[in-house]
Amino acid sequence: MLWRRKFSALALSIIVLFSILFLGGCSEKPYLTQDGSYVILTVSPSGMTQSEVIQLPWNANMAVMQKLLEECSFVLSDLHTPSSQELANSDPTTTVSLQATYPKPKRMSFVVDKRPVSLDVESLQIEVEGANVGRVTINRTLVLQGINNPNLQPAFEDLEKMLHNQNS
């Protein structure tokens, strides 16, 4: 009898844990688009812009994309207004950003300069390569600096490798 009670309690605990993890994993994340579409924007020092829609095949390793999105989420977790020195420190290098565009404005909450801020977001851009990794542009006008996440570039490089292998 005692082992049945312990087993039942353990089984119930596991079910509750999996339910929490599943429901938490399915909750709306600020970095996910409704249809899961993203664009890689490359801007050369001369200002030439190239955009590439990320198209993952049905058999793609979704964990690679999810890892990049998690690293982007970390960048967005603490934003600050760039100082004039940070803005002036923009070397003329090629920058690569991950961009999400929303068909309808999406209400998002951010911590900006240690204060919670809610914004209606139509587009969100995060620099993944360049002089200001972690630079965030919201609605093409609001420029903020996110956490300089050292895992962002490797996660992006893994995605690029996967995309290159799919096209080979």
Side-chain angles (χ1 to χ4, degrees):
M1 271 310 219
L2 183 59
W3 67 272
R4 273 191 174 174
R5 183 174 285 171
K6 285 184 180 181
F7 180 76
S8 295
L10 178 63
L12 181 61
S13 298
I14 291 173
I15 290 170
V16 169
L17 176 65
F18 280 130
S19 296
I20 290 170
L21 291 174
F22 178 76
L23 294 174
C26 292
S27 65
E28 191 172 354
K29 305 288 187 209
Y31 51 83
L32 295 176
T33 64
Q34 185 175 5
D35 59 359
S37 64
Y38 298 88
V39 173
I40 298 172
L41 290 176
T42 305
V43 180
S44 72
S46 66
M48 296 270 302
T49 303
Q50 177 184 354
S51 64
E52 174 188 352
V53 175
I54 298 175
Q55 295 179 342
L56 298 175
W58 67 271
N59 62 346
N61 183 353
M62 294 306 291
V64 173
M65 187 67 184
Q66 189 63 32
K67 175 69 175 160
L68 176 60
L69 295 175
E70 287 174 12
E71 299 305 336
C72 288
S73 179
F74 183 70
V75 168
L76 294 172
S77 66
D78 188 18
L79 302 170
H80 69 270
T81 305
S83 66
S84 55
Q85 184 180 19
E86 285 176 310
L87 289 172
N89 193 23
S90 295
D91 297 328
T93 61
T94 298
T95 62
V96 179
S97 300
L98 181 68
Q99 178 179 304
T101 304
Y102 304 96
K104 293 186 275 185
K106 183 175 181 179
R107 177 62 89 174
M108 293 186 196
S109 296
F110 302 97
V111 174
V112 179
D113 298 328
K114 301 190 186 322
R115 294 187 186 105
V117 175
S118 291
L119 300 168
D120 290 327
V121 178
E122 294 174 5
S123 69
L124 182 65
Q125 204 172 315
I126 300 173
E127 187 172 320
V128 294
E129 289 181 359
N132 300 296
V133 172
R135 172 83 35 102
V136 176
T137 305
I138 300 173
N139 296 338
R140 295 180 179 87
T141 57
L142 179 60
V143 178
L144 300 166
Q145 183 62 47
I147 294 173
N148 187 356
N149 181 356
N151 297 321
L152 185 60
Q153 279 184 299
F156 179 71
E157 289 168 2
D158 288 345
L159 176 70
E160 282 187 310
K161 285 178 196 170
M162 185 177 73
L163 293 172
H164 175 73
N165 289 340
Q166 117 188 1
N167 293 332
S168 298

